Amino acid sequence: MADDATSAKKQTAPKRSRRFGYEKGQKLAPLPERLAKLGLVRDWDFVLHLPLRYEDETRITSIADVRYGETCQIQATVTRSELRQSSGMQLVTQVADSTGTLQLRHIHFYPSQRKQLAPGNLIRAYGLVRQSVGGLPEIVHPKIKACSSTDQSLPSTLTPIYPSGEGITQTWLRKRIDRAILDVDLVDLVPNDILQKLSLPSLAQSIKELHHPLPGADPEAYSQRQTPGWKRLKFDELLAQQISLRHGRKLRSTLHAKPLLGSDGGWEARLLKSLPFELTGAQLRALKEINSDLASSHPMHRLVQGDVGCGKTIVAALAALRAVDSGTQAALMAPTELLAEQHYQKLSAWLKPLGLEVLWLSGSLKAKEKAAAQEKIRSGQARLVVGTHALIQDAVEFKDLGLAIVDEQHRFGVNQRLRVRSSSAEGSLAHLLTLSATPIPRTLAMSYLADIDISVIDELPPGRTPVATKAVSLDRLADVVAAVKNSAAQGKQCYWVCPLIEESEKADLTAATMRADFLVESLPQARIGLVHGTMSAEDKNARMAAFAAGEIGVLVATTVIEVGVDVPNASVMIIEHAERFGLSQLHQLRGRVGRGSAKSFCILLFDPNLSQTGRERLRIIRQTNDGFEIAREDLRLRGPGEFMGARQSGVPALRFADVQTDAELLDAARDAAARWLAEDEAKALKHARRWFSGGSDYLDA
Ligand code: ADP
Ligand code: MG
């Protein structure tokens, strides 16, 4: 096949300046590999590889008519070309048509480009026009085409610009895609009435027009993905996602799990009786939903969502005991050692007095202890196991795992949930319960979590006072230190959180250490402690335990304390450089205080030079305590991919549709998926496979 984007002699990247990151002679990976990185394997992948944007080269604008800030194409003759020394060598060219003169500037360029721009040459240049320092209109890094005559024909349609990768040219992609369009069968699988109801154009028409918009098409509308053809493709994508999730759910209902019915007077009942508090209505509701799933002979997959501090741990513990009461094992897992340890402490405190042993398993156990713990799990002697995800790693075999619980599920990625599920004995799967403090907005849940059931705990235990939140400029650090001194004198404990700096553990540690030293100096009366991500788990735990026991008054920390830590006596939270944290993170951090009865404060120390987004985040976090509201704003500011960590979640990601702005299409797709699967499952699955070839746990399962 003469298919290769790069012929044999061009297999190596051209020598370029350092800033491109190439070294001379560096080998590129083989083409299929580079294409696979872009998701381009089958013909359908190419057909659905839609343009990022479009360029309008169908028209020529006279130089006299170009406008600053607009993108256009001119046709002109090179009048001057020179190299200028200005922080590196630049190529500056002047071109003229009968109406005026325009300047082209290349900050990096190839010798071939210099040749193309030799005086006397007729060229077409395409790009964004701005005003140069000298006053002429100017295009920086224009797209240049040599021109043989002034009446050389123009393209009749907009030029598609595709997402591309190393050594893959637009020209090659265009050809490959055009051939794929001819090779696949563009027959419309989606039932006609569904399309009519939404007034969507046909698939064949949409595909052709999105790759090659008709002459006269508005490049803006196409680039903004606001045309009927785009709407059709977004709908098809959402439909494919809904079909695969729904199908995944159906497959699950054909799998077997042990029904867990609990027992009268078992551990579950005993723990409930011994609790010093009453469960909230929302906790009871979640438990009822969980218990009804556990009673089924198909594996449960339920997510319990509830704001920080709503009491998810007790719900998890009661569910675990139901599994134990039913004669199976239960496991509770957390993403970090610290959090797992807290769960272990809490469960032990509840259950030891009742006579039930909780087994602690973590990656940091000594080899011998670990082997002993694993043996207890294998033999079934350990009924309830708490640990980090080391627990779900290969070496651990459960005799009979009835229920796996994963706390802070969003940190795991959804793939890991599948691995936990396959670790149970006797051909039946474990029920799975996940817990998350990140409230997931409805549209996202409908999209990315459509295959699982959700319980929401939307009520906090009584007696909590809302945390008063203030934003204070770092200029006023001294005032904040004085306030901390004051509250420490009253026996109130305080968290002082330092941000990650440039993702570097070392710089991060330095900042936290310096802050701790500074506080030791400024607050001679208070006991200052420091926890940090690079400390050993043991040291971290010891430090946290000292804080929990009240031996430390001010705990300087990096975000290791972000998730789940529970110290009710801590009532002051200082977040330094709060503008660098994400909204959900700020909300999680703030949720560490306000757990006891004392009035709690959260102080957001911000850098006075904060960005617009930083300012926006601080405003939102100050204005509301409602986790759902905050999550919605977070989603708006960050976009769904980052919000969900969707890339590694195993759920087919969306490339074109946006669950926020296309919420209506999503609703329609959900209904259509249900109907279509009921009417013609084979055809619906065929549609989904066009979109998601390999890599979907849902279609291949
Ligand atoms: P999260 O949902 O953030 O994991 P936790 O499970 O850590 O919250 O609970 C926060 C605190 O609230 C814990 O100290 C827990 O014992 C307590 N708690 C949980 N449920 C109730 C309740 N119904 N009434 C009073 N306190 C409760
Ligand atoms: Mg928790």
Side-chain angles (χ1 to χ4, degrees), residues 460-501:
L460 291 179
R464 301 266 169 89
T465 45
V467 180
T469 306
K470 280 191 194 129
V472 177
S473 163
L474 268 166
D475 297 342
R476 292 176 48 208
L477 183 65
D479 296 350
V480 173
V481 172
V484 170
K485 189 173 180 175
N486 230 332
S487 61
Q490 297 167 33
K492 292 181 182 168
Q493 288 177 279
C494 169
Y495 292 101
W496 190 299
V497 178
C498 301
L500 271 177
I501 297 160

Side-chain angles (χ1 to χ4, degrees), residues 277-278 280 283 308-313 346 461 464 566 595:
F277 51 75
E278 298 274 312
T280 63
Q283 284 171 319
V308 274
C310 73
K312 293 182 289 295
T313 319
K346 188 144 230 173
R464 301 266 169 89
D566 189 28
R595 302 192 147 214

Side-chain angles (χ1 to χ4, degrees), residues 312-313 343 407-408 564:
K312 293 182 289 295
T313 319
H343 283 325
D407 194 12
E408 305 301 348

